[in-house]
Structure formats: C-alpha cells, structure tokens
Amino acid sequence: MIVEHAILPVRQGQEAEFEAAFAEARKLIECQPGFANLQLARSIESPAQYLLLVRWESVAAHTEGFRRSPEYQRWKQALHHFYEPFPVVEHFTTVFASGFDAAGHAE
C-alpha cells in the first residue's frame, strides 16, 4: 500500500466551489482498480490549501491506471482549474505507523 500526497493550493475565494466539485469528482477515482481510500483535509492556518491523501495498492495503480484512464480526463476538467500553482504529487510508503493497520485504517 502506498500513499499519494498532494498539497492543493486552491485559488482564494473558490474554496466552496472546489469542495463541491471535489465531492462529485471523487467518484471518478474511487472506482479505479487499486484504489483503497482517500482523505481531503483543509488547512486551518491557510484555508485555501488542502491536503489530499489517496491510498493505492501500488504507484502503478495511480500513475499507469488512473492517470491513463478516461476518468482522469474528467477529473482534470473538474478540478485542475482551481489550482494556483499546480500541485506537486508524491508517493510514500509507510516506514512506521501507530494506531493504524497496514492499509492505513484506524485500529
């Protein structure tokens, strides 16, 4: 299991529209092979910044599966115009976890 991590810098004043668009767009990623779960969190200190964490079975499930799918094209159309600048996406593997199982679920 890997974690995709992205800080999403949403244009100020568009937070409500972004959240509504994300609520719909999430369905495009949740149906992908290799998808486990996702979490979207909003910064308290910088309310126009969001943290997206997506758990995948592998990096390939994200980069070769989702990003090459027709659903990704719809994801881009729904969400990418909200970002300024465009977010950096990285993949992480667990080194240590406390209070979570190997899949990232609370124990």
Side-chain angles (χ1 to χ4, degrees), residues 44-105:
I44 294 169
E45 292 81 11
S46 303
Q49 286 201 22
Y50 293 78
L51 170 63
L52 175 63
L53 300 174
V54 184
R55 286 184 175 76
W56 296 96
E57 289 178 6
S58 65
V59 173
H62 177 224
T63 59
E64 296 172 27
F66 179 54
R67 284 205 178 158
R68 293 184 182 173
S69 72
E71 289 85 4
Y72 182 69
Q73 296 307 312
R74 293 171 49 209
W75 172 274
K76 283 174 45 175
Q77 289 175 341
L79 299 175
H80 285 193
H81 64 279
F82 287 106
Y83 308 139
E84 185 60 45
F86 194 78
V88 173
V89 176
E90 295 188 10
H91 300 92
F92 294 81
T93 186
T94 302
V95 175
F96 177 81
S98 178
F100 294 91
D101 66 14
H105 302 105

